[in-house]
Amino acid sequence: MKIFKLALAAATASVALGGAAMAQEVSLSYNVGIASDYVFRGVSQTNEDPQVFGGVDLGYGVGYAGVWASNVDFGTDDPTVEVDFYAGVKPTVGDVSMDFGVLYYGYSKDKGLTPGKYSYTELKAALSKPVGKATIGGAVYFSPEWPGDLSTAVYYEANGSIPLNDKFSLSGALGKQTIEDGADYTTWNLGVAYALNEKLSLDVRYWDTSEHDFGSIYDSRVAVSLKASF
């Protein structure tokens, strides 16, 4: 009888979970935009030239997946296009939102699985929590195959945002990029976003790094972006 009750409970739970899964809806969203510069972790990815980008995101319950693409220019004849693929889950515990995912940064005209290649993978763990009107968070990204020498790398970030009114919001981040057998640096950014309407937003952001000696793409800069989301 005890075994029967356990089996019945398991069956009931399966039906309940199945019903919950069926109740979930697949959501699709799209984005496209332009920017005066493509800045990633404080470093220009377009050799300080403009950017055109776009992506598609799919959501199902706490799960998500997506693809995003942009032009790039590393001052070489190699990659001209970046295409990223990502997937993960975003569970919540109380008012804490978490994000566990994997990202693949792919580049055109790559060199394959050899030193000097550009494409690489990162694992992501992030969380955020509302504090009053503001939201604060942190994230860690780990790569086992950093571009160039295929060494491991870790990026740590603390971030926050706060709405100023119905249209304006302020956000910023402080991060540290560490690379095994490579050059570490610190980066930070602060910017204001303005919602032109429900689908169109404008962002003006100041970026900087601790290592201007690495080259002009590591210098301080202001990037302006216009993004449409559907």
Side-chain angles (χ1 to χ4, degrees):
M1 181 63 71
K2 184 176 182 181
I3 294 177
F4 174 76
K5 289 182 178 179
L6 289 172
L8 181 61
T12 303
S14 298
V15 171
L17 289 174
M22 291 296 291
Q24 299 288 351
E25 294 184 359
V26 175
S27 63
L28 274 176
S29 60
Y30 310 87
N31 66 85
V32 63
I34 56 175
S36 60
D37 194 350
Y38 173 13
V39 188
F40 178 70
R41 296 177 186 171
V43 183
S44 174
Q45 307 293 291
T46 49
N47 207 22
E48 304 181 291
D49 285 334
Q51 174 197 25
V52 178
F53 62 89
V56 179
D57 292 283
L58 180 148
Y60 183 76
V62 298
Y64 68 88
V67 58
W68 181 88
S70 170
N71 61 297
V72 293
D73 182 358
F74 299 130
T76 68
D77 294 329
D78 292 322
T80 56
V81 177
E82 173 186 341
V83 180
D84 302 340
F85 299 90
Y86 47 89
V89 293
K90 293 183 176 181
T92 59
V93 177
D95 62 351
V96 176
S97 300
M98 294 171 283
D99 185 349
F100 303 103
V102 57
L103 305 93
Y104 176 76
Y105 304 85
Y107 296 89
S108 63
K109 302 179 182 179
D110 210 346
K111 301 176 183 296
L113 297 175
T114 61
K117 78 181 185 73
Y118 292 89
S119 301
Y120 66 103
T121 302
E122 281 189 328
L123 301 177
K124 173 186 180 181
L127 57 82
S128 62
K129 175 182 173 61
V131 178
K133 293 183 178 180
T135 299
I136 59 173
V140 179
Y141 296 79
F142 169 76
S143 174
E145 49 177 16
W146 191 252
D149 58 6
L150 303 183
S151 61
T152 60
V154 182
Y155 177 71
Y156 308 90
E157 181 181 279
N159 52 62
S161 63
I162 185 170
L164 302 178
N165 54 35
D166 292 340
K167 295 288 187 178
F168 286 94
S169 61
L170 178 69
S171 62
L174 173 64
K176 176 76 172 183
Q177 181 70 68
T178 64
I179 305 169
E180 182 184 15
D181 302 326
D184 301 346
Y185 70 93
T186 302
T187 178
W188 54 92
N189 69 79
L190 182 66
V192 175
Y194 175 70
L196 297 168
N197 53 45
E198 292 183 355
K199 298 180 179 179
L200 197 61
S201 62
L202 179 70
D203 186 274
V204 180
R205 190 161 302 274
Y206 172 81
W207 297 84
D208 206 351
T209 76
S210 61
E211 296 295 346
H212 293 182
D213 292 340
F214 288 175
S216 62
I217 61 173
Y218 286 80
D219 288 348
S220 59
R221 68 191 67 249
V222 174
V224 181
S225 64
L226 182 66
K227 179 180 177 181
S229 302
F230 308 92

